[in-house]
Amino acid sequence: MSVINILSPHVADLIAAGEVVERPASVVKELLENSFDAGARHVVCEIRDGGATYIRVTDDGCGMAPEDAGIAFVRHATSKLSDESGLEHISTMGFRGEALAAISSVSHMELLTRQKGAEEGTRVLLDAGEIEEMIPCGCPEGTTMICRNLFFNTPARLKFLKSDRSEASACITAALRCALGRPDVSVRFVRDGKEEFFSPGDGKLDSCLYALLGREEAASMLSCSSASDGLSLSGFVSSPAEGRGNRAHQFFFVNGRFIKSTLLQSAVEQAYRNTLLVGRYPSCVLYLTLSFSSVDVNVHPAKTEIRFGSEKRIFDFVYQAVRLALASEDRLNTNSDNLPLTGKGDRVAVDEVFSRKESGGIALNGTQTHAPSIPSEQINNSVIHNSEQHSESTTPSAAEPSQLRITNYELTPTPYPLHPTPSSSPTPYSLTPNSSSTSPLASPSTPYSLTPTPSSTPVPCPLSPDPSSPVPDHRILGEAFKTYIIVESRGELILIDKHAAHERMIFDRLKAAGRSVSSQMLLMPAIVRLSLEDMELLERNAALLSDLGFELEPYGEKEIIVRGVPAEMPASDVSSSIEEICEKLRSSKTPDPSSVHDEILHTVACKAAIKAGWDTQRPELEKIVSAVLSGAVLYCPHGRPVSSVLTRKDLDKLFKRIV
Ligand code: ADP
Ligand code: MG
């Protein structure tokens, strides 16, 4: 008996729809891209109820003839590709002829369209992909697409939709990405009757960047602009002082198309290596322009992934361009003349390093070269602002780690056994509350001042040794790479990952504190800008976060005020910690509150722990070594081992003393 069925076109459409239309934001993206492809100069997108019940996109593009209006919804119907050879150099956003078929098969669609100069327009009504009505009608030139009741006939999909606020947030982000990709087209986005953003379409991206990144972050970005060998890169990258707790603010456009690319992501992140702290990510809005034939966009139904002809060439080019942009910041800060750099000696030719001081726009399709502009007075302010922020942000400068380290040491009471400080070990500093501040813990930037300690003053020892877990005799031989503590104990050589071990100690302590993690009030509350989705996540987890020592308060629709953070956490790192926590809440698949609780504790512990690469003083190393040798600390909170042992025998074998 035959078991193979050929699926009906309707079922095939539903399956294909699953790939193209994941949520309302996918509809917004596809409809906007169609408007761009139709040559529109102005596009308005309106959504209601997170897009689930209503999405309307209106443009002043070329419109459709009545005969095209009918077949536009048929699968593989496209005006953008006629034969195989066209696939080699795709210059339009769409080409697969799938989007309208997919969207209409899972919604009620309405199309109103009139070609330029045509006497009348056409109205088409569809129900689950079937044309219900097609009549001539009066309407403006251009096209309006309305998608109602998305997923009304696929309940499984409907069930997976998130709250209206989350879906609206995703729609706004999708529209912003489209708008950023085409700064020459004006895009207006309206949510439930309220304008969310408007881009004027004059090539300037200020308003989009502000909406996307927040005014402060947008204004502190560094310009990036390079061209070489048929490749050009323009846009903005964040200053190393402004790393975020997640990658949500990394945007890449290739030939005007927003794409996700691990290649570009790692090229950018590599360029920041050794300038950003571990766990912090750069932000960027970067436009790569290259010939259409050097990139394959036919990789994924949603067209957000692409393949480059020569990955290495692209990687090197982007890496160098971003390095150059970061180097230009150094010059900017040290060179008051602001002379443009020539980029001599670099593989990348720099056409304009200080283009952010000029106004200009991105011209698409390979004709570019000016970076999108941000008003120069804001940039100038932001440079000053940046350097002011330096002192309170966690920049990995040579001087800072020791301050953070000592803050950690003294603010972190530990249940682990402490060895008395050997009188010979250097104890040049202790922490004393800053007398000018009434509440030492309250200042986010400099809660403590460092004062030289007379050599006779013993280093404070917060806790006495724990007799229940004896620490074997040992000798700290030193540290390798400022990362691994080398200890000799009972005929063994033990290597300890100081960050991993310290992180675990803090994690265990926080966990033991249960719901009473102590909070430190910030003298200067931090305001953190978030997406609607993240705002909702924080609201939903408010009780949990408060138990963990976070004092958060909504401030408008898209910002929160952080008034307090767990006492263990460096107060300088507030916004990236909140961003990281949002990322964890978002990606946490399990509804189990205790595992979410642990995830957040990981973040706090990681932020509070001493880091690899930092100078660490002997008493701190002793605390860590004691904890590890007592057997209390075996794995870091992520499950990595904290120590590794080489026995005397292992070493003897290594050197062939024994066989
Ligand atoms: P694709 O964009 O891959 O061609 P779609 O299913 O998105 O496939 O659209 C099918 C066709 O409908 C397009 O090729 C285009 O000819 C027409 N079309 C869609 N939207 C518009 C619009 N806003 N203005 C004019 N024509 C449009
Ligand atoms: Mg399309």
Side-chain angles (χ1 to χ4, degrees), residues 30-39 57 59 61-64 68 71-74 76-81 92-103 111 113 142-145 303:
E30 294 295 341
L31 296 184
L32 281 173
E33 288 188 350
N34 278 348
S35 295
F36 294 163
D37 284 345
V57 173
D59 67 49
C62 63
M64 282 181 254
D68 283 343
I71 58 166
F73 296 92
V74 174
H76 305 309
T78 179
S79 56
K80 300 164 197 172
L81 196 65
T92 47
M93 293 287 128
F95 57 90
R96 301 170 63 106
E98 275 185 335
L100 292 186
I103 299 165
L111 161 66
T113 188
T143 302
T144 294
M145 290 274 181
K303 297 159 288 173

Side-chain angles (χ1 to χ4, degrees), residues 148-446:
R148 294 189 174 90
N149 311 322
L150 187 64
F151 300 138
F152 80 97
N153 55 347
T154 50
R157 282 261 150 180
L158 196 60
K159 213 170 61 198
F160 277 100
L161 285 189
K162 297 193 182 139
S163 67
D164 285 359
R165 192 144 51 136
S166 292
E167 295 301 337
S169 175
C171 289
I172 294 165
T173 306
L176 273 168
R177 286 170 181 167
C178 290
L180 278 171
R182 289 297 302 264
D184 54 330
V185 179
S186 164
V187 180
R188 184 184 298 281
F189 191 96
V190 179
R191 172 173 70 111
D192 297 320
K194 195 174 136 252
E195 182 176 293
E196 282 290 335
F197 74 86
F198 169 73
S199 69
D202 59 359
K204 293 184 185 169
L205 293 174
D206 316 10
S207 52
C208 279
L209 283 178
Y210 292 159
L212 195 67
L213 308 175
R215 181 167 284 266
E216 207 173 303
E217 186 179 345
S220 69
M221 299 284 265
L222 309 170
S223 147
C224 179
S225 177
S226 288
S228 148
D229 247 356
L231 299 176
S232 87
L233 188 79
S234 60
F236 295 99
V237 295
S238 56
S239 148
E242 307 280 335
R244 282 176 59 86
N246 57 36
R247 295 192 171 101
H249 284 186
Q250 293 184 358
F251 300 92
F252 298 103
F253 298 85
V254 173
N255 292 341
R257 182 191 304 279
F258 170 81
I259 52 128
K260 291 179 186 145
S261 163
T262 46
L263 179 89
L264 298 182
Q265 178 188 306
S266 52
V268 169
E269 288 178 11
Q270 286 282 317
Y272 281 80
R273 209 174 46 183
N274 298 332
T275 62
L276 270 183
L277 281 179
V278 177
R280 300 194 82 169
Y281 301 95
S283 305
C284 64
V285 178
L286 286 174
Y287 298 83
L288 179 66
T289 312
L290 68 172
S291 71
F292 293 119
S293 54
S294 332
V295 20
D296 182 3
V297 291
N298 187 19
V299 177
H300 188 267
K303 297 159 288 173
T304 46
E305 284 165 37
I306 58 168
R307 212 175 284 131
F308 292 107
S310 164
E311 298 202 332
K312 168 111 180 52
R313 189 166 86 101
I314 303 285
F315 183 97
D316 288 349
F317 172 69
V318 172
Y319 171 82
Q320 291 293 344
V322 175
R323 296 275 304 185
L324 210 59
L326 298 181
S328 78
E329 180 188 41
D330 294 346
R331 298 275 192 101
L332 195 72
N333 288 339
T334 51
N335 180 355
S336 56
D337 294 338
N338 285 354
L339 291 172
L341 299 179
T342 58
K344 271 184 214 139
D346 253 291
R347 275 189 284 165
V348 179
V350 182
D351 42 39
E352 200 200 347
V353 170
F354 293 100
S355 59
R356 62 176 153 154
K357 296 216 184 269
E358 296 177 7
S359 66
I362 284 193
L364 291 164
N365 300 349
T367 52
Q368 161 283 307
T369 61
H370 290 289
S373 74
I374 287 183
S376 60
E377 65 278 12
Q378 270 153 16
I379 298 293
N380 290 337
N381 287 343
S382 78
V383 172
I384 296 163
H385 166 81
N386 261 356
S387 53
E388 279 170 352
Q389 273 206 335
H390 251 252
S391 62
E392 64 178 68
S393 69
T394 48
T395 322
S397 67
E400 269 199 338
S402 76
Q403 188 189 352
L404 287 168
R405 164 182 55 73
I406 293 175
T407 307
N408 258 317
Y409 173 51
E410 288 298 323
L411 292 178
T412 309
T414 167
Y416 294 96
L418 267 177
H419 281 239
T421 315
S423 56
S424 60
S425 73
T427 53
Y429 294 104
S430 75
L431 281 170
T432 50
N434 192 340
S435 55
S436 64
S437 162
T438 45
S439 165
L441 272 175
S443 161
S445 49
T446 50

